[in-house]
């Protein structure tokens, strides 16, 4: 009985969001999720349906809320970094990068050239891996099973490279403030080059399977249209905004990690529908390959992390010879490093859009406040109006096309 | 500040809305009084080309009470490629601020999160509910006086004792 009362309260809370017809029973209220295969995680959508047409869609998030921001406040900077992987689990390298860049900006820490280039390579590999998951699940939601299997096969290639470098397929924690955790392994360059040879043909294969497939086109054209003005007003970023004609890429606009040295295009599409966003992401994968190729060709030798002992641990070999190194090592692994007082907002272009870290330090070894501005959070909010007037089956295509990760949303 | 457009926007915020600006690590931060924030955001959007508001968040300075919170707005101009951070100090334990939903529609969820996590109420918000925490949750987790919390390990000898003081949803 107690359970039923609680359900009533939930509906009562939402009454002002649905139309009057729903309360009289003329329209149908339907729960989609929180456990539904096409919501890509634990997302609950409360749909108000007139027949099969959606007239209201009320997204309900928070099922994956793990209090990462609060937890990070209680950990030293190094220990808190492993939590960044768990935010957007398809973009672990990108999260590490945003976090490290924020600390480096606040502490005015320099990163050696080799680390910068390796960071760019991994960020772009991660972008391709994330887009492969997006493409596979989007195609699977629209009943194209084989594309899904192909995408996950190619993604495994990238995860292997990440495992070789960091020891982990997904939860990498590979970038550290001041550089990298360790240098890339010797087989790294060969693995990346062979991936560069292998991948373009695969992207072509996906396009052959989908871009000219009339069944796929019928499902994506004219669905979930968002104009450029709407995209800006609702805070859409990344490929979701570029599919509506917003020419904005943080890698071009506010370059970090030396992105200004690479030659690449920012693909946009004017349609603003599911198809537009699909075309943008497909082209983005090719552009990422271009960046990786330029980066691997100029991968310089040299140190892979900064020499600033106040932030970066000394190499193992020094510990036996230098008392100073032992002291630094001890201080770093017990107390952690202190970051100067102040507040910065560091943005990076994640595969989903603008990933921002608002880091505020009180001068101590733990972040005083860290806020993750995550693209998925803004993009789920789009679902509250973008699906209105469409069929329920089209909602599945729209959810796929805004490319959400619930770990990223709920934090 | 080298950027002409950014310079103009910041000078405008200082002259018309009583802001104080500073540059920190190459980023512009403007502190504004809470009463001016909606007018200032409208001016930023309409006159200075800041079309996007990516984020609203807050920082809790407990046990300090004046100001206890800083609400931090980020503004981004896609066309001019400039960014500005606006900070709004708030006093007291149950602060309110005017809602931004009329200027930027995506403030809807961001202000719900602000209420959920910090207990900062946005006046005039169309749908101010909790967003991440369960609807019957008590307290605002990201406040500094809210404990981090942990779960006590239950053994056979103290199972019932711990079971009694376990937090559970209210009936």
């Amino acid at each position: 009985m107690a359970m039923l009362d609680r359900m009533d309260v939930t509906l009562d809370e939402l009454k002002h969001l649905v139309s009057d017809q729903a309360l009289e029973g003329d329209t149908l209220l339907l729960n989609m999720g929180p456990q539904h295969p096409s919501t890509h995680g634990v997302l609950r959508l409360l749909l108000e349906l007139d027949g099969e047409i959606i007239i209201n869609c009320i997204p309900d998030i928070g099922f994956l809320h793990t209090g990462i921001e609060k937890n990070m406040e209680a950990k030293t900077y190094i220990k808190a970094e492993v939590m960044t992987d768990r935010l957007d689990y398809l973009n672990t390298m990108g999260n590490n990068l945003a976090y490290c860049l924020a600390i480096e900006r606040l502490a005015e820490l320099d990163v050696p050239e080799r680390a910068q280039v390796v960071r760019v390579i991994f960020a772009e590999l991660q972008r391709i891996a994330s887009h492969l998951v997006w493409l596979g699940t989007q195609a699977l939601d629209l009943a194209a099973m084989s594309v899904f299997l192909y995408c996950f096969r190619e993604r495994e290639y990238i995860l292997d490279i990440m495992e070789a470098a960091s020891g982990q397929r997904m939860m990498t924690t590979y970038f550290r403030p001041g550089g990298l955790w360790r240098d890339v392994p010797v087989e790294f360059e060969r693995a990346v080059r062979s991936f560069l040879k292998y991948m373009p043909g695969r992207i072509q294969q996906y396009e052959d399977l989908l871009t000219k497939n009339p069944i796929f086109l019928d499902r994506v054209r004219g669905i979930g249209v968002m104009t450029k003005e709407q995209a800006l007003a609702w805070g859409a970023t990344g490929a979701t905004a570029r599919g509506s004609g917003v020419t904005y890429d943080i890698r071009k606009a506010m370059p970090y990690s030396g992105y200004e040295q690479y030659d690449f295009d920012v693909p946009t599409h004017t349609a603003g529908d599911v198809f537009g966003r699909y075309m943008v992401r497909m082209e983005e994968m090719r552009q990422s390959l271009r960046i990786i190729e330029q980066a691997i060709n100029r991968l310089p030798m040299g140190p892979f992390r900064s020499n600033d002992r106040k932030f970066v641990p000394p190499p193992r070999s020094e510990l036996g010879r230098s008392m100073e190194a032992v002291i630094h090592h001890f201080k770093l692994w017990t107390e952690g490093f202190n970051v100067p007082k102040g507040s910065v907002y560091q943005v990076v272009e994640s595969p989903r859009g603008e990933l921002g870290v608002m880091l505020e330090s009180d001068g101590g070894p733990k972040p005083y406040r860290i806020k993750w501005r995550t693209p998925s959070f803004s993009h789920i909010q789009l679902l509250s109006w973008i699906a209105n007037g469409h069929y329920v089956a089209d909602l599945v295509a729209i959810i796929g096309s805004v490319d959400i990760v619930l770990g990223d949303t709920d934090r | 500040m080298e950027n002409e457009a950014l310079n103009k926007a910041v000078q405008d915020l200082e002259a018309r809305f009583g802001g104080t600006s500073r540059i920190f690590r190459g980023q512009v931060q403007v502190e504004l009084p809470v009463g001016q924030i909606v007018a200032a955001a409208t001016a930023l959007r309409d006159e200075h080309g800041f079309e996007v508001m990516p984020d609203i968040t807050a920082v809790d300075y407990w046990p300090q009470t004046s100001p206890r919170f800083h609400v931090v707005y980020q503004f981004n101009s896609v066309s001019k490629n400039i960014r500005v951070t606006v900070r709004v100090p708030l006093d007291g334990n149950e602060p309110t601020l005017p809602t931004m939903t009329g200027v930027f529609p995506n403030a809807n969820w961001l202000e719900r999160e602000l209420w959920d996590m910090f207990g900062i109420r946005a006046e005039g918000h169309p749908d101010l509910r909790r967003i991440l925490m369960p609807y019957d949750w008590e307290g605002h987790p990201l406040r500094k006086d809210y404990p981090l919390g942990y779960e006590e390990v239950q053994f056979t000898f103290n199972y019932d004792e711990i079971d009694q003081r376990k937090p559970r949803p209210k009936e």
Side-chain angles (χ1 to χ4, degrees):
Chain A
M1 199 56 215
M3 197 64 203
L4 268 179
D5 288 345
R6 295 184 60 202
M7 304 268 284
D8 282 352
V9 175
T10 318
L11 187 62
D12 212 43
E13 275 199 322
L14 299 172
K15 263 181 191 163
H16 62 290
L17 295 172
V18 297
S19 73
D20 295 339
Q21 292 163 298
L23 302 176
E24 285 161 19
D26 291 342
T27 53
L28 177 72
L29 283 177
L30 180 75
N31 255 321
M32 182 168 164
Q35 301 292 339
H36 187 280
S38 68
T39 53
H40 298 194
V42 276
L43 166 67
R44 172 179 170 228
L45 296 166
L46 184 63
L47 304 177
E48 186 186 346
L49 301 175
D50 181 12
E52 218 183 320
I53 309 267
I54 298 167
I55 46 179
N56 247 321
C57 173
I58 304 160
D60 184 11
I61 62 170
F63 294 93
L64 213 58
H65 177 63
T66 42
I68 282 181
E69 287 173 6
K70 181 85 176 174
N71 267 317
M72 284 173 91
E73 286 174 10
K75 291 181 165 36
T76 60
Y77 283 96
I78 286 284
K79 286 177 185 167
E81 193 182 342
V82 291
M83 310 199 87
T84 67
D85 296 324
R86 275 82 182 165
L87 287 157
D88 181 351
Y89 41 80
L90 296 181
N91 179 34
T92 53
M93 291 283 189
N95 293 341
N96 295 165
L97 184 58
Y99 180 73
C100 293
L101 285 173
I103 294 173
E104 282 153 13
R105 184 184 275 262
L106 206 46
E108 296 183 305
L109 197 58
D110 288 329
V111 180
E113 184 64 19
R114 183 175 173 85
Q116 300 266 26
V117 176
V118 172
R119 281 178 175 191
V120 167
I121 294 174
F122 273 115
E124 294 306 315
L125 283 174
Q126 185 79 73
R127 191 182 313 280
I128 297 175
S130 169
H131 280 2
L132 285 174
V133 175
W134 155 77
L135 179 63
T137 50
Q138 166 102 71
L140 186 67
D141 290 345
L142 301 177
M145 183 86 188
S146 37
V147 179
F148 172 75
L149 297 172
Y150 293 156
C151 285
F152 273 71
R153 182 185 63 193
E154 269 75 83
R155 175 170 176 261
E156 210 56 35
Y157 218 116
I158 297 171
L159 295 185
D160 278 349
I161 299 177
M162 279 160 47
E163 186 178 6
S166 73
Q168 291 281 322
R169 290 164 75 245
M170 288 175 76
M171 301 297 145
T172 50
T173 325
Y174 183 53
F175 306 157
R176 296 289 164 87
L180 307 170
W181 169 51
R182 63 176 183 191
D183 207 352
V184 287
V186 277
E187 66 269 29
F188 172 73
E189 194 174 331
R190 197 160 47 89
V192 172
R193 281 192 195 283
S194 90
F195 177 75
L196 285 174
K197 268 203 210 89
Y198 170 77
M199 196 60 198
R202 296 293 148 194
I203 298 176
Q204 190 56 46
Q205 192 184 23
Y206 311 143
E207 286 233 57
D208 290 344
L209 282 166
L210 293 174
T211 311
K212 286 171 193 146
N213 180 339
I215 302 171
F216 180 75
L217 291 180
D218 279 353
R219 293 293 306 274
V220 296
R221 281 229 169 112
I223 303 297
V225 180
M226 174 169 65
T227 64
K228 186 177 174 179
E229 287 70 33
Q230 284 170 328
L232 291 173
W234 284 85
T237 46
T240 307
R242 288 194 284 274
S244 297
V246 180
T247 320
Y248 187 75
D249 189 318
I250 295 162
R251 291 174 293 172
K252 284 273 190 206
M254 316 177 84
Y256 52 92
S257 292
Y259 266 111
E260 67 277 8
Q261 302 158 23
Y262 301 96
D263 186 24
F264 64 100
D265 301 327
V266 178
T268 56
H269 204 279
T270 47
D273 54 4
V274 177
F275 182 68
R277 300 193 270 276
Y278 160 81
M279 289 304 277
V280 167
R281 291 212 177 86
M282 293 305 271
E283 185 56 30
E284 265 189 21
M285 284 201 262
R286 296 207 174 88
Q287 297 301 328
S288 289
L289 288 176
R290 266 178 81 187
I291 298 174
I292 297 170
E293 185 161 18
Q294 293 167 47
I296 198 81
N297 284 338
R298 61 193 288 271
L299 181 64
M301 298 307 284
F304 61 93
R305 58 185 176 190
S306 155
N307 218 14
D308 191 336
R309 293 277 185 268
K310 297 293 172 216
F311 292 92
V312 179
R316 196 82 215 168
S317 56
E318 270 183 33
L319 288 183
R321 291 183 279 113
S322 155
M323 190 61 212
E324 206 179 340
V326 176
I327 294 168
H328 278 135
H329 181 90
F330 180 75
K331 287 293 267 184
L332 279 172
W333 297 122
T334 52
E335 187 193 337
F337 51 76
N338 293 331
V339 168
K341 195 175 158 86
S343 155
V344 292
Y345 181 65
Q346 176 68 44
V347 285
V348 302
E349 182 78 18
S350 98
R352 266 155 280 285
E354 175 178 328
L355 176 68
V357 180
M358 204 283 293
L359 177 63
E360 177 142 346
S361 168
D362 59 351
K366 295 172 183 176
Y368 186 74
R369 165 89 176 109
I370 184 160
K371 155 82 190 198
W372 290 84
R373 186 270 174 211
T374 54
S376 305
F377 186 85
S378 324
H379 290 164
I380 290 189
Q381 199 178 357
L382 296 175
L383 296 177
S384 57
W385 55 272
I386 201 171
N388 292 359
H390 288 299
Y391 289 108
V392 180
D394 293 336
L395 176 63
V396 170
I398 295 169
I399 296 173
S401 77
V402 294
D403 194 14
I404 49 174
V405 166
L406 270 296
D408 199 25
T409 311
D410 295 343
R411 303 183 299 280
Chain B
M1 273 172 279
E2 287 156 29
N3 193 303
E4 189 67 30
L6 184 58
N7 229 339
K8 228 176 109 211
V10 172
Q11 276 169 9
D12 196 28
L13 287 180
E14 287 185 337
R16 275 165 62 197
F17 304 106
T20 45
S21 73
R22 72 181 197 129
I23 302 175
F24 181 72
R25 303 284 191 263
Q27 295 176 335
V28 183
Q29 300 180 355
V30 184
E31 202 171 303
L32 284 181
V34 62
Q36 298 286 352
I37 179 66
V38 175
T42 315
L44 280 177
R45 184 192 64 179
D46 297 339
E47 294 162 32
H48 301 289
F50 288 85
E51 310 98 333
V52 189
M53 185 186 62
D55 192 26
I56 306 176
T57 187
V59 185
D60 185 3
Y61 293 108
W62 182 83
Q64 181 183 313
T65 52
S66 181
R68 167 148 185 192
F69 296 100
H70 268 198
V71 178
V72 187
Y73 296 81
Q74 311 287 347
F75 294 95
N76 180 18
S77 169
V78 167
S79 50
K80 295 177 184 160
N81 190 21
I82 44 178
R83 276 172 194 268
V84 66
T85 302
V86 173
R87 297 177 75 100
V88 176
L90 291 175
D91 292 347
N93 290 333
E94 283 175 14
T96 57
L97 75 165
T99 180
M100 194 69 94
T101 43
V103 191
F104 293 98
N106 68 326
N108 189 324
W109 277 26
L110 292 167
E111 282 172 355
R112 278 176 66 189
E113 192 187 338
L114 206 60
W115 159 246
D116 192 1
M117 290 291 143
F118 288 95
I120 299 172
R121 195 172 261 285
E123 295 292 332
H125 190 285
D127 178 28
L128 198 65
R129 290 179 285 135
R130 285 188 180 272
I131 186 166
L132 294 174
M133 304 305 284
Y135 77 96
D136 58 349
W137 196 265
E138 274 176 22
H140 302 282
L142 277 178
R143 287 189 171 198
K144 287 283 177 185
D145 54 355
Y146 187 95
L148 187 61
Y150 63 97
E151 201 165 336
E152 290 171 284
V153 186
Q154 286 172 307
F155 296 98
T156 333
F157 75 94
N158 61 3
Y159 191 93
D160 295 329
E161 187 193 334
I162 290 177
D163 210 44
Q164 273 183 356
R165 58 170 182 260
K166 256 189 172 176
R168 48 168 57 85
K170 285 155 292 298
E171 295 295 333

